[in-house]
Amino acid sequence: SPCAFSTAAQQRSTGDECGPEDPSEEPKHPLSDCALEHKAIKLEEQVRDLTERYRKALADSENVRRRTQKFVEDAKLFGIQSFCRDLVEVADILEKTAESAAGQAEPSDPTPTLKKIYEGLSLIEAKLQSVFAKHGLQKMNPVGGRYDPYDHEIICHVPAEGMQPGTVALVTQDGYKLHGRTIRHALVGVAVEAQE
């Protein structure tokens, strides 16, 4: 290595025998060249290290920005989740009341008051469902579909008469999803094979 011989070169006398007019005899500084070389190598390593750290920091900040943006978007979409849970209870009551009024209305009744109440309740129910749809709230209709533990809660098993075992045979309480996320599970009866 050039550094091993540098100390011997430095020990040479730079006395009067070396004159400025003889360029071949000018003192060389291999130690300083070697030191500069080492310093350059160290600086290049530091530049690589700092460049790598900079790239990692950029990637981390981009990931934080994306996560924060996703969090804000989710907050906008699902911020009304608890409000929707409360509203679907009102929708259930309205639906049951409309069904009850429809069952009580008789076509031969001379006063069509109950029929008008039923029609009014039906209009309110339709409007409520359109408002739900506008805000991304959807009623699930699982009858005939496969049982899904993420969307349904089993409350009973029913004999599979003309249905595949494992499919939803009846719904006792409607389930709802808000932008694809289940906010209330549907209470269902699942078809099973009859045991003899």
Side-chain angles (χ1 to χ4, degrees):
S1 128
C3 293
F5 299 108
S6 64
T7 52
Q10 269 188 342
Q11 290 175 357
R12 249 193 296 161
S13 171
T14 58
D16 291 335
E17 70 266 0
C18 293
E21 57 275 336
D22 190 6
S24 63
E25 294 292 325
E26 280 187 24
K28 296 185 179 181
H29 302 287
L31 180 63
S32 61
D33 287 348
C34 183
L36 288 174
E37 224 174 274
H38 281 295
K39 198 167 195 172
I41 290 170
K42 283 185 180 180
L43 287 174
E44 286 175 3
E45 287 174 1
Q46 285 179 348
V47 166
R48 279 195 295 271
D49 183 49
L50 290 173
T51 303
E52 187 62 30
R53 286 184 186 184
Y54 173 71
R55 286 184 183 147
K56 286 181 181 178
L58 272 181
D60 288 346
S61 67
E62 181 62 23
N63 287 340
V64 167
R65 186 191 65 75
R66 266 191 259 126
R67 277 195 304 261
T68 304
Q69 185 177 2
K70 173 97 171 92
F71 179 75
V72 168
E73 289 171 2
D74 284 352
K76 286 178 184 176
L77 285 177
F78 300 110
I80 60 170
Q81 187 168 323
S82 63
F83 181 67
C84 288
R85 279 193 195 115
D86 294 339
L87 271 183
V88 297
E89 301 291 330
V90 174
D92 287 344
I93 294 169
L94 184 62
E95 185 178 348
K96 286 184 172 105
T97 306
E99 287 173 2
S100 176
Q104 296 291 324
E106 295 178 13
S108 61
D109 191 2
T111 58
T113 307
L114 203 51
K115 185 176 180 184
K116 288 184 180 184
I117 290 175
Y118 168 71
E119 289 171 356
L121 289 173
S122 296
L123 287 173
I124 292 171
E125 187 179 3
K127 181 62 177 174
L128 185 61
Q129 289 300 324
S130 73
V131 169
F132 285 176
K134 177 181 174 184
H135 293 283
L137 185 63
Q138 296 175 326
K139 184 190 289 192
M140 289 187 256
N141 188 10
V143 174
R146 297 289 299 165
Y147 165 72
D148 183 355
Y150 296 106
D151 293 336
H152 313 130
E153 184 177 331
I154 299 175
I155 57 165
C156 65
H157 291 94
V158 296
E161 296 173 1
M163 298 187 87
Q164 287 279 4
T167 58
V168 176
L170 64 99
V171 176
T172 60
Q173 184 182 49
D174 293 322
Y176 283 86
K177 287 187 175 195
L178 178 63
H179 297 289
R181 179 189 290 179
T182 302
I183 63 165
R184 186 174 83 176
H185 289 78
L187 302 181
V188 299
V190 176
V192 293
E193 287 185 26
Q195 295 179 356
E196 295 176 17

